[in-house]
Amino acid sequence: MRGLTLLITTGDRERFRAALTLACSQAALGGRTRLYCHEGAVAVLLPGDDPEDATLRATGLPTRAALLEMAAAEGVALIACQTGLALAGIAQSALPEGTETGGMISLIADLGDDRLVTF
């Protein structure tokens, strides 16, 4: 199975939930999966509740935080843009355990035969 690299370009939490769902699905099928949050998108990796969490829970859907936990459990590589962290003043220690930092050049250099999807 070809790998899947997801490039997250915005802090839109609904789009990020869709990307996480896709990442978890790919990983559950046994494919290499990487999720890279570029610049302003790094904030969606921060732990915490979102305004829509109560609605999601009431309908039986996972929250962003729950999806992040699932992604980690499935082996999805979470990568935060180093530039984005610096711009937002976010320390790597504030991110979920196991989150890597990197840049666009290293992401593309290691793309190999992965499919690249942008959110």
Side-chain angles (χ1 to χ4, degrees):
M1 172 181 280
R2 289 176 59 192
L4 179 64
T5 295
L6 302 166
L7 173 61
I8 312 306
T9 61
T10 74
D12 182 302
R13 294 183 188 280
E14 188 172 344
R15 291 175 64 95
F16 187 62
R17 282 179 33 77
L20 280 170
T21 301
L22 180 58
C24 289
S25 299
Q26 167 78 3
L29 291 171
R32 173 176 110 135
T33 312
R34 300 181 307 158
L35 193 145
Y36 176 83
C37 292
H38 183 66
E39 292 187 358
V42 297
V44 295
L45 291 170
L46 293 171
D49 293 331
D50 298 328
E52 64 275 7
D53 284 357
T55 302
L56 291 169
R57 286 186 190 102
T59 57
L61 295 172
T63 63
R64 178 183 56 87
L67 283 169
L68 278 167
E69 289 177 15
M70 286 183 223
E74 289 289 341
V76 173
L78 298 175
I79 308 164
C81 173
Q82 292 168 321
T83 302
L85 291 173
L87 287 170
I90 299 171
Q92 183 177 0
S93 60
L95 301 173
E97 186 176 331
T99 302
E100 306 167 25
T101 60
M104 192 66 73
I105 291 173
S106 61
L107 184 77
I108 298 302
D110 192 32
L111 190 62
D113 199 27
D114 282 9
R115 292 165 289 169
L116 179 64
V117 177
T118 304
F119 278 87

